[in-house]
Amino acid sequence: MSVYGYARISTVAQSIARQVRNIEREYPSAMIVQEAYTGTKIDRKEWNKLFAAVKTGDTIVFDSVSRMSRNAEEGFTVYEELYNRGVTLVFLKEPHINTDTYRKALESSIPMTNTAVDFILEGINRYLLELAREQIRLAFDQAEKEVEDLHQRTREGIQTARLNGKQIGQKPGAKLTTKKSIAAKEVILKHSKDFGGTLTDTDVMRLTGLARNTFYKYKRELKIAKAM
């Protein structure tokens, strides 16, 4: 039986270290799977590999439900599939929807009496089952709503700034240089196979925490600089 920790960031501005730290504090021996991905659907490369690899008795630990999925319908479907496969799911920030809690709710059904009262008891048990499932759906619904609200606030903030005459984003043709980009490029130069290192693109992306588009943008800039 293996214990995995899954940590994901969706923007380069986020830090994956906090998630890893939270998981390792509760599960020091967990094998951490890290991923940088922008989007809401579960079509992530590292997640797909983990999803295919886990088996009955294994555990996956998430810092929060939003790290598993911020798409409510898909998240609930995947939750139930893993639960039915005998995989334990742990959400550090939402322990009320851990699969162990869900399992206890399902197993706490009222036993039948082989009398006419069983019609009532059957209805109560169905209600308790749906109540447990609804708790899980609500958690994924909340995660989806939070990301939608964030996107809406971002759009409104950009629109307000533009109306006030502020420049949003880089000017056409401008190249942004920051301490973070300089540090990331140094890591790429040192470790990428394209520049004499030993690591693949995936490994370097994981090491730098860069999103795919940003990583390849930096690589292009480095190649151009070396050719000049």
Side-chain angles (χ1 to χ4, degrees):
M1 295 184 290
S2 302
V3 178
Y4 300 91
Y6 180 75
R8 176 180 65 82
I9 54 173
S10 52
T11 71
V12 295
Q14 296 174 322
S15 170
I16 206 166
R18 177 187 57 79
Q19 296 177 47
V20 173
R21 196 164 54 244
N22 291 344
I23 294 170
E24 290 182 336
R25 183 170 57 243
E26 301 296 328
Y27 294 83
S29 62
M31 294 176 281
I32 305 297
V33 176
Q34 300 184 37
E35 189 149 48
Y37 180 82
T38 301
T40 55
K41 291 189 177 181
I42 301 181
D43 56 357
R44 307 180 294 269
K45 182 178 178 180
E46 297 303 320
W47 168 259
N48 287 342
K49 289 194 290 189
L50 177 60
F51 182 81
V54 289
K55 54 188 180 299
T56 300
D58 288 347
T59 298
I60 307 177
V61 185
F62 304 86
D63 184 48
S64 71
V65 67
S66 65
R67 299 306 89 195
M68 179 177 171
S69 177
R70 293 181 300 186
N71 178 286
E73 181 179 353
E74 188 170 18
F76 179 74
T77 300
V78 172
Y79 180 105
E80 284 220 311
E81 181 171 343
L82 288 170
Y83 173 82
N84 291 330
R85 283 165 53 183
V87 176
T88 297
L89 302 177
V90 176
F91 303 92
L92 298 180
K93 287 186 171 58
E94 301 92 0
H96 63 286
I97 66 163
N98 289 351
T99 49
D100 282 349
T101 304
Y102 184 45
R103 185 175 294 106
K104 288 177 183 176
L106 300 186
E107 292 174 352
S108 64
S109 59
I110 304 171
M112 297 294 103
T113 62
N114 293 321
T115 68
V117 178
D118 285 353
F119 289 105
I120 299 174
L121 297 181
E122 186 178 350
I124 293 174
N125 286 336
R126 280 201 302 269
Y127 168 76
L128 293 174
L129 172 61
E130 285 306 313
L131 187 62
R133 286 177 173 164
E134 189 60 24
Q135 290 296 314
I136 299 167
R137 290 193 187 97
L138 285 173
F140 283 107
D141 282 341
Q142 181 62 30
E144 183 174 3
K145 183 178 185 301
E146 286 175 0
V147 73
E148 289 175 351
D149 288 347
L150 176 61
H151 289 167
Q152 180 62 29
R153 288 195 299 271
T154 301
R155 287 192 294 268
E156 290 173 353
I158 291 173
Q159 181 64 24
T160 299
R162 283 175 174 160
L163 290 173
N164 290 332
K166 293 183 180 180
Q167 170 69 34
I168 302 299
Q170 292 178 238
K171 293 181 179 179
K175 185 170 73 173
L176 181 64
T177 301
T178 64
K179 290 182 179 179
K180 185 173 181 179
S181 69
I182 293 171
K185 287 179 179 180
E186 288 177 354
V187 173
I188 295 171
L189 279 171
K190 181 178 180 180
H191 295 287
S192 173
K193 286 183 177 180
D194 290 335
F195 301 102
T198 60
L199 299 183
T200 64
D201 286 351
T202 300
D203 290 333
V204 179
M205 273 187 275
R206 187 177 299 142
L207 187 62
T208 59
L210 294 173
R212 177 176 294 273
N213 288 344
T214 304
F215 171 76
Y216 285 112
K217 174 188 173 186
Y218 286 175
K219 267 186 64 174
R220 286 194 300 272
E221 292 175 357
L222 288 169
K223 288 180 178 179
I224 292 171
K226 287 180 74 70
M228 293 176 64

